[in-house]
Amino acid sequence: METDDALDGAPTADTAARVREVITAAGVTQREFARRVVMDPSKLSRSLSGTRRFTAAELARIADEGRVDAGWLLGTRVREKAPAQAAGVTGGRPLQIVRETVRLIAEHGFHAVRVADIARACATSSAAIHYHFPGRAELLEAAVRWCMDEDTARRAARLAEADDAAAELRQLIALQTPRTEQQRRQWAVWLDLWAEAARSTAVGRLHSEYYRQWRETVADVVRRGVGQGVFRAGLDPQAAALTLTALVDGLATHVLSVSGPSSAAAADAMHAALTAHVTDTILAR
């Protein structure tokens, strides 16, 4: 459970100023930075204004995301970048840890994954895991963020290849159809996280926000398609996005329930059903 316990000895004003530097250097909005470090935006705002103090776990995630030393954030060390292998999850041991965590979540479920299991999968010790991630909660949140970032990057790459909104929608459908092992693994993680969202946990809230962004991406594509004349005039982008994403979710759940050779046929059927839905209800006639 998240706590507001402050880190003893942290110089609030100086720490807040340094966190502001990290956010500025990241080149993103305060809200986006809060999402990246799995922190409630209002708590980040209050901590930056001095009405709340950052917790140790929050500072660890901020240091990880900003690739700075946590001691510098606290004012106990001069500023220097963390070693390349420990700087975030862009490579080296942290990336291996996060990838193995995602694999284990997909195979065994969110609550079944222990730090000891992750350490064993990485052929290292639990202490080495904690060197990069303060606790199990921070590690699982980092794994979820990495999954989301990977999905966003793949989506952006696919959309960049499209000539118009109709092609964009086809690319999104292909991306959401669980054919490959990686796609099935990611879907398994998403299904597990929906239960977390229903319980309104920190990770669940992160998943809900990401899912809202995913629906908005589809709505934006529909909006562009209407403007380009490739989608039906007068189509409600939000309603179309809600229906399409709901179909994607339901059909993908069915595909994941099928194993072995039948899974490929189930994925083909899912893709065909989604394509037919788009043709019948979204594409201009």
Side-chain angles (χ1 to χ4, degrees), residues 43 72 133 143 148 159 189-190 199 251 255:
K43 288 187 176 182
W72 172 76
F133 302 95
M148 293 175 178
L159 293 183
V189 173
W190 292 152
R199 298 186 185 99
L251 290 167
V255 174

Side-chain angles (χ1 to χ4, degrees), residues 153-230:
R154 284 194 296 271
R155 190 188 307 158
R158 287 293 187 94
L159 293 183
E161 298 171 357
D163 295 327
D164 60 18
E168 289 180 12
L169 204 55
R170 286 194 293 270
Q171 293 282 24
L172 289 178
I173 288 173
L175 193 62
Q176 294 300 312
T177 304
R179 297 183 185 278
T180 68
E181 181 182 351
Q182 181 184 29
Q183 287 173 318
R184 290 181 66 89
R185 181 181 297 142
Q186 185 156 355
W187 264 107
V189 173
W190 292 152
L191 293 180
D192 217 35
L193 290 177
W194 273 326
E196 292 300 302
R199 298 186 185 99
S200 195
T201 64
V203 167
R205 289 192 295 273
L206 176 63
H207 179 261
S208 294
E209 173 60 20
Y210 181 80
Y211 197 77
R212 184 195 64 77
Q213 294 174 10
W214 154 239
R215 281 198 305 269
E216 193 56 43
T217 295
V218 177
D220 285 342
V221 171
V222 174
R223 198 173 289 113
R224 284 195 297 274
V226 172
Q228 294 168 357
V230 295

Side-chain angles (χ1 to χ4, degrees), residues 177-179 184 250-259 263 266-267 270:
T177 304
R179 297 183 185 278
R184 290 181 66 89
L251 290 167
T253 301
H254 171 69
V255 174
L256 261 67
S257 70
V258 178
S259 59
S263 63
M270 171 182 173

Side-chain angles (χ1 to χ4, degrees), residues 33-50:
F33 191 83
R35 184 192 72 79
R36 292 185 180 185
V37 298
V38 196
M39 188 174 177
D40 186 281
S42 65
K43 288 187 176 182
L44 177 58
S45 179
R46 286 190 285 123
S47 298
L48 291 173
S49 67

Side-chain angles (χ1 to χ4, degrees), residues 70-157:
W72 172 76
L73 286 177
L74 292 171
T76 60
R77 298 193 188 103
V78 296
R79 182 170 191 174
E80 61 180 49
K81 276 197 172 182
Q85 199 175 37
V89 292
T90 55
R93 177 68 81 180
L95 180 58
Q96 179 198 20
I97 292 170
V98 164
R99 282 177 168 168
E100 288 301 316
T101 301
V102 170
R103 181 181 65 80
L104 290 171
I105 291 173
E107 292 177 359
H108 304 292
F110 189 78
H111 289 285
V113 178
R114 303 173 304 162
V115 172
D117 300 324
I118 299 165
R120 190 178 304 110
C122 295
T124 188
S125 66
S126 294
I129 301 293
H130 288 304
Y131 173 78
H132 298 287
F133 302 95
R136 178 180 179 277
E138 288 76 25
L139 174 53
L140 294 177
E141 289 167 3
V144 172
R145 291 202 313 275
W146 181 79
C147 249
M148 293 175 178
D149 289 343
E150 285 287 290
D151 185 61
T152 299
R154 284 194 296 271
R155 190 188 307 158

Side-chain angles (χ1 to χ4, degrees), residues 11-22 47-48 54 72-73:
T12 305
D14 290 345
T15 298
R18 293 185 181 99
V19 172
R20 286 187 185 279
E21 285 187 41
V22 172
S47 298
L48 291 173
F54 289 100
W72 172 76
L73 286 177

